Amino acid sequence: MGKQILTVLGGGRPKGNTAQLAEAFIQGAEAAGHRVETVSLVKNEVKGCLGCNACRYGKPCVQRDAFNGLVPTIRAADCIVFASPLYFWTLSARVKAFIERFYCIAEEDPAPPLGRYEKYPVKDCALLMTAADDFFWTFRQAESYYKFALVNYIGFHDRGTLLAGGCGDTNGPPQIGKTNHLERAFAFGQTPYPPED
């Protein structure tokens, strides 16, 4: 039986490099028998956390945006795949805001592990990123944030990253089709989970 995967699109271009990378991943995941739901953060605006702590007193998030409606989808997912272009050496602001709002689905943890304050739902996660540059340090800051925030702090189980550099000039049309990244994304989508016995 396949897993439920939520793909969160944080890029602004509907046919851009990141959208194409995510689509190749999704095709691979569906070919492997997984169910995939996709959320565009352009079509579903999610604002950053206000830090008001209303959610700590049993109230829904005070923000009137798409996030509250996405909470059931987040809870139902076995794996959340974050797809983002590289903006200013890290994840896009849309994806960062989406991650910040996980605060309202956390629960009190009477004995939190070192460096964590709350208990979050147990999920797997993966990261898909695109960038124009392809230096050894291009994704270092973004990958660090992903590991610190999602894996180490929230406690999601890392299923891997696909960091697709060299996707063309930022002012030009998408160039990801001239690389091998789409084939890699399809293969990655097929294997976020090993075949079940």
Side-chain angles (χ1 to χ4, degrees):
M1 182 177 173
K3 301 290 184 177
Q4 183 69 36
I5 299 173
L6 171 62
T7 303
V8 180
L9 298 177
R13 300 177 184 179
K15 305 254 185 221
N17 290 318
T18 303
Q20 291 183 52
L21 190 72
E23 182 56 33
F25 175 91
I26 291 165
Q27 289 175 2
E30 290 177 340
H34 303 299
R35 300 173 307 282
V36 184
E37 187 164 348
T38 304
V39 171
S40 165
L41 296 180
V42 171
K43 296 177 182 176
N44 298 274
E45 183 187 19
V46 174
K47 300 173 184 174
C49 180
L50 295 174
C52 69
N53 276 335
C55 59
R56 289 299 183 263
Y57 298 95
K59 298 177 183 176
C61 183
V62 300
Q63 303 226 52
R64 299 293 177 251
D65 61 12
F67 190 82
N68 286 335
L70 294 173
V71 169
T73 304
I74 293 167
R75 290 192 185 280
D78 298 306
C79 180
I80 303 177
V81 178
F82 299 87
S84 176
L86 185 77
Y87 286 168
F88 286 81
W89 310 114
T90 191
L91 303 175
S92 73
R94 291 182 184 93
V95 173
K96 176 75 163 50
F98 182 81
I99 293 168
E100 285 180 8
R101 295 288 290 285
F102 280 25
Y103 187 66
C104 74
I105 60 175
E107 299 174 0
E108 185 179 352
D109 192 340
L114 184 65
R116 197 178 304 163
Y117 307 101
E118 303 90 17
K119 182 166 39 177
Y120 289 87
V122 177
K123 307 279 177 201
D124 292 332
C125 64
L127 177 66
L128 306 174
M129 290 196 74
T130 60
D133 292 335
D134 196 17
F135 302 114
F136 72 90
W137 44 264
T138 296
F139 295 102
R140 187 168 287 173
Q141 186 73 19
E143 195 172 19
S144 174
Y145 174 77
Y146 167 79
K147 288 182 178 173
F148 268 88
L150 290 164
V151 180
N152 296 341
Y153 182 68
I154 290 178
F156 288 171
H157 304 294
D158 180 26
R159 285 285 176 177
T161 59
L162 199 164
L163 308 175
C167 290
D169 188 279
T170 55
N171 291 327
Q175 299 290 317
I176 196 167
K178 296 181 179 179
T179 72
N180 69 341
H181 297 316
L182 299 180
E183 292 81 6
R184 292 173 58 219
F186 184 88
F188 186 25
Q190 288 187 301
T191 58
Y193 295 92
E196 296 183 18
D197 296 329

